[in-house]
Amino acid sequence: MKKGRGRTGRIRRRKLFRSSESRGVNESYKREFIELKKWLKDRNFENANLIPASFPGTGRGLMSKTFLREGQVIISLPESCLLTTDTVIRSYLGAYIAKWQPPPSPLLALCTFLVAEKHAGACSPWKPYLEILPKAYTCPVCLEPEVVNLLPKPLKAKAGEQRTRVREFFTSSRDFLSSLQPLFSEAVESIFSYSALLWAWCTVNTRAVYLKLGGRRCFSAEPDTCALAPYLDLLNHSPHVQVKAAFNEETRCYEIRTASGCRPHEEVFICYGPHDSQRLLLEYGFVSTHNPHACVYVPEDILVKYLPSTDKQMNKKISILKEHDFIENLTFGWDGPSWRLLTALKLLCLEAEEFTCWKKVLLGEVISDTNEKTSVDVAQNICHYFIEETNAALQEVSHMKGEEVALVNQLTLVEALRTEELKILQASAELLNSLQAAFT
């Protein structure tokens, strides 16, 4: 037998294939990263552990150069590298912010600085950092309306709220931005356009780390807790890792400490929190694969869709659910319908003579076999409804990808979310079938 053709050779090749899947392609040689490295070095930051790289699935991120051990500080970014409201106040914008009434928000200060520095181009001392920031974002507020229309209903509603919030943010900032005209030779309306401010808003919303700063009177009462952290913000999210991230008051550095080891040439992740995929898409503009926190939300209109319209106590039942915070966050997950969803359905399925037992239902008590079976029946109907609705949405996405080439990237994002939710619903359907079989 030729060398490498046997069982041992196959195992070795499989291991190499798996490791190559997680390996990134070094990007530290690229001009923008060379400039960023010089810029960071001038601000007393150097890192021997991580280098920029491109990875399959996650795109641009940071790759380990060496073995990283559990508990090791993998990044310690000096305060001088952080972009905060203190940075803005010390800049040419400080005097304008200090005298403006009513005081602008910390968010507006950061967004204004980002747009102004981006407009300054090569003259900006922050140019090396601005160069590596995304040129566009994929939060729902940035998606085309026909793409947003393909999102699950609860997320579509939140996307609408997000769009309204950003539009109001832009409208309410106009007077303050107009006051900055003496700083620019061009009209501020053309510099601080809606698209420019949207870009800045997304930059802060998707990339900032938490850093509580002392309240300043020149800002509104909104929390001043956002800091942009160059290089550190190249770390991608994974729901499967744990890290400790905080500002070290002694070293005056923002530090990331990993709770798990990492081998050389692998992508290093941080965790943004135990977020479901809809929230990740809403807040950060991406969908994390194999997300254990992913779920499918059941809105109120679908919750009651398969209940008898003749139930005279339905309005009272709905009121009870709302009073006890059981009308929202009702979900299907990888392990089937949530306890909250089944509990809400059990209360809604109570017969007239059982209605006085509603408190026991909320405490998790079994009222009757009939009530248990009926609630599972309704959960099955809801699950099947979502499976059909999700399949229809995926077919529409597939059709649009062939027709709307310019929207392929946005549609692929929706496709990833919908595909994951379909798998969750199929897993839930199997579990509900097992529960239903127990009643027969």
Side-chain angles (χ1 to χ4, degrees):
M1 183 181 292
K2 290 185 179 181
K3 187 177 180 181
R5 292 288 180 87
R7 180 172 177 271
T8 303
R10 290 196 299 273
I11 293 173
R12 186 182 298 113
R13 285 194 296 274
R14 281 198 294 268
K15 286 183 177 178
L16 286 171
F17 176 73
R18 283 196 296 267
S19 64
S20 66
E21 280 187 314
S22 61
R23 289 190 175 205
V25 177
N26 187 352
E27 292 196 348
S28 60
Y29 66 90
K30 291 190 173 182
R31 179 194 57 79
E32 62 264 33
F33 286 119
I34 292 173
E35 293 299 317
L36 179 65
K37 186 177 180 180
K38 290 178 182 176
W39 182 82
L40 289 167
K41 187 176 181 179
D42 289 341
R43 293 168 180 250
N44 301 314
F45 173 75
E46 290 187 87
N47 190 286
N49 298 320
L50 311 174
I51 56 173
S54 179
F55 297 89
T58 56
R60 182 173 281 181
L62 290 178
M63 178 172 68
S64 59
K65 289 177 66 177
T66 60
F67 278 102
L68 302 178
R69 64 184 184 277
E70 182 180 334
Q72 180 177 347
V73 174
I74 57 172
I75 284 188
S76 182
L77 193 68
E79 189 175 21
S80 57
C81 298
L82 300 176
L83 199 167
T84 67
T85 51
D86 285 346
T87 311
V88 181
I89 288 298
R90 292 194 300 266
S91 76
Y92 49 88
L93 295 174
Y96 291 86
I97 291 172
K99 67 184 179 183
W100 187 255
Q101 292 295 327
S105 68
L107 176 61
L108 178 56
L110 288 171
C111 290
T112 303
F113 185 79
L114 282 171
V115 174
E117 290 298 302
K118 189 178 181 183
H119 175 72
C123 297
S124 170
W126 289 86
K127 179 179 180 292
Y129 175 54
L130 296 172
E131 284 284 294
I132 67 157
L133 290 174
K135 302 296 184 286
Y137 291 90
T138 50
C139 301
V141 67
C142 302
L143 302 181
E144 293 300 320
E146 56 266 46
V147 177
V148 173
N149 203 42
L150 294 169
L151 294 171
K153 185 177 179 180
L155 181 56
K156 184 163 65 173
K158 289 181 180 178
E161 293 168 4
Q162 186 181 72
R163 189 176 294 273
T164 299
R165 192 163 67 250
V166 175
R167 179 60 68 177
E168 289 175 350
F169 174 69
F170 173 69
T171 302
S172 64
S173 68
R174 280 177 176 170
D175 289 344
F176 167 71
L177 296 173
S178 295
S179 75
L180 305 178
Q181 186 62 70
L183 293 172
F184 304 96
S185 57
E186 297 176 39
V188 291
E189 290 80 7
S190 63
I191 299 171
F192 296 94
S193 62
Y194 175 75
S195 60
L197 216 62
L198 173 61
W199 171 83
W201 184 91
C202 288
T203 297
V204 176
N205 198 58
T206 64
R207 305 181 76 83
V209 297
Y210 179 87
L211 178 62
K212 190 170 184 179
L213 298 164
R216 289 176 178 265
R217 291 184 178 180
C218 59
F219 292 126
S220 65
E222 294 177 30
D224 189 359
T225 56
C226 289
L228 289 169
Y231 204 73
L232 184 153
D233 63 6
L234 289 170
L235 288 164
N236 287 319
H237 164 82
S238 170
H240 306 290
V241 302
Q242 290 184 330
V243 297
K244 291 182 179 179
F247 186 76
N248 188 323
E249 295 289 347
E250 293 182 7
T251 62
R252 306 303 297 175
C253 292
Y254 196 94
E255 297 178 348
I256 301 287
R257 190 183 297 271
T258 179
S260 57
C262 186
R263 292 178 296 183
H265 310 299
E266 288 188 342
E267 182 169 12
V268 179
F269 293 97
I270 57 173
C271 183
Y272 300 170
H275 303 320
D276 62 73
S277 295
Q278 290 196 21
R279 181 170 177 188
L280 286 174
L281 180 53
L282 180 70
E283 299 293 345
Y284 302 103
F286 69 88
V287 176
S288 179
T289 57
H290 311 299
N291 184 2
H293 310 295
C295 60
V296 177
Y297 287 91
V298 181
E300 183 181 337
D301 60 329
I302 306 302
L303 183 68
V304 300
K305 182 178 177 69
Y306 297 99
L307 295 169
S309 57
T310 54
D311 188 344
K312 296 179 180 179
Q313 296 168 318
M314 185 56 65
N315 289 337
K316 179 60 177 175
K317 291 175 180 178
I318 294 293
S319 296
I320 291 172
L321 290 177
K322 288 181 177 178
E323 288 170 14
H324 292 81
D325 192 29
F326 264 89
I327 204 70
E328 294 181 345
N329 295 323
L330 309 178
T331 60
F332 290 99
W334 292 109
D335 54 355
S338 66
W339 179 82
R340 287 175 58 85
L341 174 57
L342 286 177
T343 299
L345 289 174
K346 288 174 185 179
L347 191 148
L348 292 170
C349 291
L350 287 172
E351 300 289 347
E353 61 274 15
E354 297 174 329
F355 183 59
T356 54
C357 300
W358 65 264
K359 288 185 180 179
K360 292 182 178 181
V361 173
L362 296 183
L363 292 172
E365 294 186 30
V366 175
I367 304 304
S368 67
D369 287 345
T370 300
N371 179 258
E372 295 285 309
K373 183 179 183 303
T374 305
S375 60
V376 170
D377 284 343
V378 176
Q380 276 186 311
N381 288 332
I382 294 173
C383 187
H384 289 150
Y385 164 82
F386 277 122
I387 288 175
E388 291 180 7
E389 189 263 347
T390 304
N391 273 320
L394 282 169
Q395 288 178 5
E396 181 63 21
V397 167
S398 179
H399 172 73
M400 285 184 66
K401 286 176 79 172
E403 298 288 326
E404 304 284 349
V405 178
L407 299 179
V408 166
N409 289 339
Q410 294 186 12
L411 290 166
T412 299
L413 198 61
V414 177
E415 187 176 46
L417 177 68
R418 288 288 198 167
T419 300
E420 180 182 57
E421 294 196 350
L422 181 60
K423 292 176 182 177
I424 290 171
L425 292 165
Q426 289 168 339
S428 294
E430 287 186 20
L431 190 140
L432 286 166
N433 286 339
S434 299
L435 289 175
Q436 193 59 265
F439 291 108
T440 58

